[in-house]
Amino acid sequence: MSTPRETPASTPGTPDSPPPKSHFIRDIIVQDVQSNKNGGRVQTRFPPEPNGYLHFGHSKAIHLSFGLAQEFGGKCNLRFDDTNPCKEETEYVAAIIEDLRWLGADWADRLFYASDYFDQLHAWAVQLIEAGKAYVCDLTAEQVREYRGTFSQPGRESPFRGRSVEENLALFARMRAGDFPDGSRTLRAKIDMASPNLNLRDPIMYRILHAEHHRTGNKWCIYPTYDYAHGQCDSLEGVTHSICTLEFEDHRPLYDWFLEQLGIHHPQQIEFDRLNLTYTILSKRKLLQLVRDGHVRGWDDPRMPTICGARRRGYTPEAFGNFCSRIGVSKTTGVVELPLLEHYVREDLNRRVNRVMAVLRPLRVVIENYPDDLVEELDAVNNPEDVNAGTRKVPFSRVLYIEREDFREDPPKKFYRLSPGREVRLRYAYLVTCRDVIKDASGDIVELRCTYDPETRGGNTPDGRKVKSTIHWVSAAHSLEAEARLYDTLFAKEDPNEVGEGEDFTANLNPNSLEVVERCRIEPGLRSAPVGALYQFERLGYFCVDPDSTPEKLVFNRTATLRDTWAKIERKQKGAAS
RNA sequence: UGGGGCGUCGACUAGUGGUAAGUCACAUGCCUUUGGAGCAUGGCACCCAGGUUCGAAUCCUGGCGCCCCAGCCA
């Protein structure tokens, strides 16, 4: 048995992980440390909004911000960006923390919330009003949009832009006191309505929202916008390198403006390209839609590209860490192929996970010349990649199950497995030869009659003869029943967002993303396998015990398949035939 | 359309004036008591055009292409 370790491997420095890879952000930090900028201090932060679950894209940001801090002896804060009470919930806070821990992120006691700074943010807003740099605007949302102008046309100044400091102060105080309804007024920064950067056309700093906040309750009815809050929150925390994704690049001048007006510590924002993965959607909004509309069973559905989904599927933090190290960091907009992530999952699982025999679609086999009442305990290697993993005993008896796919009555070319008259090895057991095929009334194969060679115990051939194939098996009387959930990509298209007229991304959902296989048979040794335990089912793939398991029946998620050379050959044969 | 970014094998990423490298994927072979894993080998990659230079992916000029921005979301 083996369970996912909870070691921090999504951050560099663990024994097996590759040395930190150079990239442009790391280069900047190296330079800053060398030039003693910020006193040589490195402080980053990871600022999720608690309005959804962490997904694969976040793992890249987490790996970066936490990893860089660790590498340079600095700190990385966790700060929830909770400036919008309408969309945020404590459920998400707890889930995000759990996922972060699992990934190995370490923020020690530095768990913060943007809402921790609401008082300071408000005081700074007052300060900006007093300096004539902010004003209360009575325009409606629609009017604000009209006044903003377009890409090619400059905006127009709000008619309320010229209000006196006193009037602004009084109005802002009344906004805060709850004198006005939602949306009736805003506090705006007085910058430049003609700026080619739309973010600088008098952006909103505060909006009226009579909504209960998950942390501050009903203390406030005005809430700062992200654009107003973010830079100052970073500043308050002494962040030196504020790492974020590319779409915030043209917000940076705005953050800089607030910091300069206020004359406070100025973190350096550095933008990188967010993760894109083939066959995957990494948008919280769309992920939420999949959950709400029941396209998946929840945020932790093993098909979801969420961290909790991956955990349930059997992915490991180490796999994410190695993946993130390998994909690197840049500003080029790219799409990483899903098989690269899967490669790191397999690589990690291959070396840590014990092998076991399981039959997904059982075919009954009777060994005619094996004694009816005999049961042998045969030795099986737990993990050929790890000598310390030892061996286990597997019961063998007269009646067995093998994989239906491992028998062909009429074997095609290059099919080396069992067929009438052919001898194969039962892994760790004996060489057996198929003597007869039993069918039911409708012609379906229901049983194979085989004979075994007693000289080949353990699968050895004292006479040196070779067999083309070794197949897995399970003793019928001793094996346990289990359910297996086989997954394929959630979307059928490489780019799920590529849709036809009037369709949305759900049109690209893969109808075959989940296949439930009931009545599988597994080795008796798995009887008390705990939830989350990972195994390799020999020749089939990696599987993980699902929380839906009961004492009566284990449920397994297929984490990843093994390379299937025969399937490839068969595909080619079929392609050539048609 | 104004602004901000970005163009290197199929994918991701190195390279920072001097032999274009690595990983995945793909292909072929070896090995194998998992058709697993492993090992070995392989392939018209520098967006285009000029320029500077003995020498350019790298520097300059001009094109072309792609991404992001007109939420009181983040």
Side-chain angles (χ1 to χ4, degrees), chain A residues 295-296 303 313 485-491 509-515:
Chain A
H295 291 114
V296 293
R303 293 167 294 178
R313 170 99 170 233
R485 298 175 181 169
L486 313 182
Y487 302 105
D488 193 358
T489 55
L490 223 204
F491 292 93
L509 248 6
N510 178 4
N512 305 314
S513 61
L514 168 64
E515 182 186 359

Side-chain angles (χ1 to χ4, degrees), chain A residues 84-86 182 208-213 216-221 223:
Chain A
N84 186 352
C86 307
D182 287 3
I208 301 172
L209 252 26
H210 291 267
E212 184 169 320
H213 187 278
T216 60
N218 293 306
K219 178 177 176 186
W220 300 89
C221 62
Y223 291 93

Side-chain angles (χ1 to χ4, degrees), chain A residues 143-155:
Chain A
Q143 289 170 320
V144 167
R145 198 185 319 125
E146 281 168 24
Y147 275 75
R148 187 159 32 227
T150 66
F151 290 147
S152 46
Q153 286 174 313

Side-chain angles (χ1 to χ4, degrees), chain A residues 96-154:
Chain A
I96 289 170
I97 287 176
E98 186 186 1
D99 290 347
L100 245 11
R101 290 227 171 90
W102 182 75
L103 282 171
D106 177 19
W107 57 91
D109 57 349
R110 298 179 312 282
L111 165 58
F112 304 122
Y113 295 82
S115 54
D116 294 343
Y117 312 124
F118 278 178
D119 284 315
Q120 178 62 259
L121 257 9
H122 177 266
W124 275 332
V126 169
Q127 189 182 320
L128 288 171
I129 294 172
E130 285 169 342
K133 301 287 186 183
Y135 63 97
V136 172
C137 180
D138 301 1
L139 257 24
T140 65
E142 197 180 330
Q143 289 170 320
V144 167
R145 198 185 319 125
E146 281 168 24
Y147 275 75
R148 187 159 32 227
T150 66
F151 290 147
S152 46
Q153 286 174 313

Side-chain angles (χ1 to χ4, degrees), chain A residues 6-7 29 102 116 135 166 186 216 254 261 292 298 318 354 363 399 418 431 434 436 454-455 495 499 563:
Chain A
E6 300 217 350
T7 47
I29 294 180
W102 182 75
D116 294 343
Y135 63 97
E166 291 68 33
T186 55
T216 60
L254 173 58
Q261 299 306 317
R292 289 230 174 117
E318 287 79 0
N354 283 174
L363 174 58
V399 182
L418 201 60
L431 268 56
C434 177
D436 205 0
E455 299 302 308
D495 177 6
V499 290
R563 185 163 67 179

Side-chain angles (χ1 to χ4, degrees), chain A residues 517-536:
Chain A
V517 184
E518 316 258 14
R519 283 183 291 283
C520 308
R521 308 296 307 189
I522 61 176
E523 269 186 34
L526 293 189
R527 172 160 272 121
S528 50
V531 168
L534 281 156
Y535 302 91
Q536 185 197 99

